[in-house]
Amino acid sequence: MDDKTGLAARIAAVADKRATVRHDGDRASVILDVTGLDIEARDALEAAVRAAALAGPEVSDVRIALTSERVGRTLIAVASGKGGVGKSTVAANLAIALATAGRKVGLVDADIYGPSQPTLMGVEGSKPQAREKTRIPVATPSGVPILSMGQLVAPGQAIAWRGPMAASALGQLIEGDWGPADTLVVDMPPGTGDVQLTMIQKYKPAGAVIVSTPQDLALIDARRAIDLFGKAGVPVIGVVENMAGYACPHCGEVSDPFGQGGAEAAARELGVPFLGRVPLAIAIRAASDAGTPPAAGNGPEGAAFGEIAGKVKDWLEAR
């Protein structure tokens, strides 16, 4: 076996068909296909290829170029017409529940002016690294990686940006190095402004999930959000009614401080699917504040999110 054959064999043993090798003098040049690998896996493979190349006497210098085919990703926008309806909590738990159901999911916190996903996902204070000016999502305890503007600015710092700057920031998040993720759940800012329009026009979500409380004021704004996506040709996957019913922890009696069934009625009126209700529960609030979303556990609070995610998954697979 000559030196070149030995070099190729050593690299093939660790990289199989992912590597193309050239040998010139004492230098080995390797083109390494890392399509579908996450950051840890690609770094490990690159290190293994380098070690294999240097294991023989014929090579003293190794140059490795990483290549990757662009992965087609499905974007799901989680939106609301107004703030304060629990949209971010729904987005975080939907992402986790979809991952539990078998999708490879990433979570984009596109709420530029009020990012909360680092807290919800238990990685507050984390900072994403970058590779060749591309942001690398931060791993979370639930297994769903995230990118958020909250990871790029100092805690408590106000983000006072005009539309173009906010739209540019959104691009950095969505175009991050998401590795094998096939689905990105995008936590949108409330309203129907510049960030929403950039998201719709440039990145064209596969569909939108609209979050509302049952009260009339929230439903008025939810209708505006539905109208925005409809005019842009983005299908509305369905409506989630959040904070729907409060069960007293002492007597068990259920009350409806925000009303009952309004979001379901609005969905029926507008001809869009109703995905389900999430109760107004102290346990959901406490888990969210602690960075342990209910969908990541086995408690009853996560069941509603699992059912909603099941319907979203069915919609994705049927389209």
Side-chain angles (χ1 to χ4, degrees):
M1 178 181 293
D2 62 28
D3 287 345
K4 291 186 178 181
T5 303
L7 170 65
R10 292 197 305 273
I11 292 178
V14 297
D16 196 17
K17 297 180 180 179
R18 287 182 177 269
T20 302
V21 185
R22 291 185 60 187
H23 189 188
D24 184 10
D26 64 350
R27 176 184 297 169
S29 299
V30 183
I31 299 175
L32 189 60
D33 179 13
V34 294
T35 300
L37 301 181
D38 60 24
I39 299 299
E40 291 183 0
R42 74 181 63 172
D43 287 348
L45 180 59
E46 182 180 2
V49 167
R50 187 177 302 279
L54 293 172
E58 74 276 29
V59 173
S60 61
D61 181 31
V62 182
R63 297 188 178 182
I64 301 176
L66 304 183
T67 64
S68 178
E69 295 181 9
R70 182 178 291 273
V71 176
R73 295 189 175 96
T74 300
L75 270 61
I76 301 171
V78 180
S80 64
K82 68 187 299 294
V85 299
K87 167 186 55 61
S88 293
T89 298
V90 171
N93 283 279
L94 174 61
I96 293 170
L98 282 171
T100 301
R103 305 284 297 194
K104 297 177 181 177
V105 183
L107 177 59
V108 178
D109 188 357
D111 196 344
I112 303 295
Y113 304 107
S116 57
Q117 291 300 346
T119 299
L120 288 167
M121 298 294 283
V123 290
E124 191 172 13
S126 63
K127 298 292 182 184
Q129 297 179 341
R131 181 197 293 270
E132 297 178 354
K133 298 183 180 180
T134 301
R135 300 288 179 181
I136 300 173
V138 172
T140 68
S142 65
V144 174
I146 74 166
L147 278 177
S148 167
M149 186 53 59
Q151 298 167 319
L152 305 179
V153 298
Q157 178 181 330
I159 302 175
W161 291 350
R162 295 188 183 277
M165 291 184 66
S168 175
L170 172 64
Q172 290 186 42
L173 302 180
I174 290 181
E175 295 170 8
D177 189 348
W178 290 100
D182 57 29
T183 304
L184 296 183
V185 174
V186 184
D187 179 12
M188 300 289 290
T192 54
D194 288 337
V195 176
Q196 290 87 342
L197 291 174
T198 297
M199 169 69 178
I200 292 170
Q201 294 171 356
K202 186 172 182 179
Y203 298 104
K204 196 67 174 182
V209 171
I210 307 298
V211 181
S212 178
T213 59
Q215 66 190 112
D216 291 342
L217 185 59
L219 291 167
I220 290 171
D221 293 314
R223 286 185 173 92
R224 293 193 181 103
I226 292 171
D227 182 62
L228 172 69
F229 285 106
K231 287 179 177 176
V234 175
V236 173
I237 301 172
V239 175
V240 173
E241 186 172 273
N242 196 27
M243 307 181 194
Y246 172 72
C248 176
H250 303 293
C251 68
E253 181 179 354
V254 177
S255 60
D256 298 289
F258 294 109
Q260 182 182 36
E264 182 175 11
R268 184 168 54 249
E269 174 189 334
L270 295 170
V272 298
F274 180 68
L275 298 177
R277 295 182 175 84
V278 178
L280 178 63
I282 293 176
I284 294 177
R285 191 275 304 163
S288 299
D289 289 348
T292 56
N298 298 318
E301 293 79 16
F305 297 111
E307 293 177 6
I308 291 167
K311 293 178 181 178
V312 173
K313 183 173 181 285
D314 290 344
W315 185 91
L316 291 172
E317 293 175 350
R319 67 191 181 95

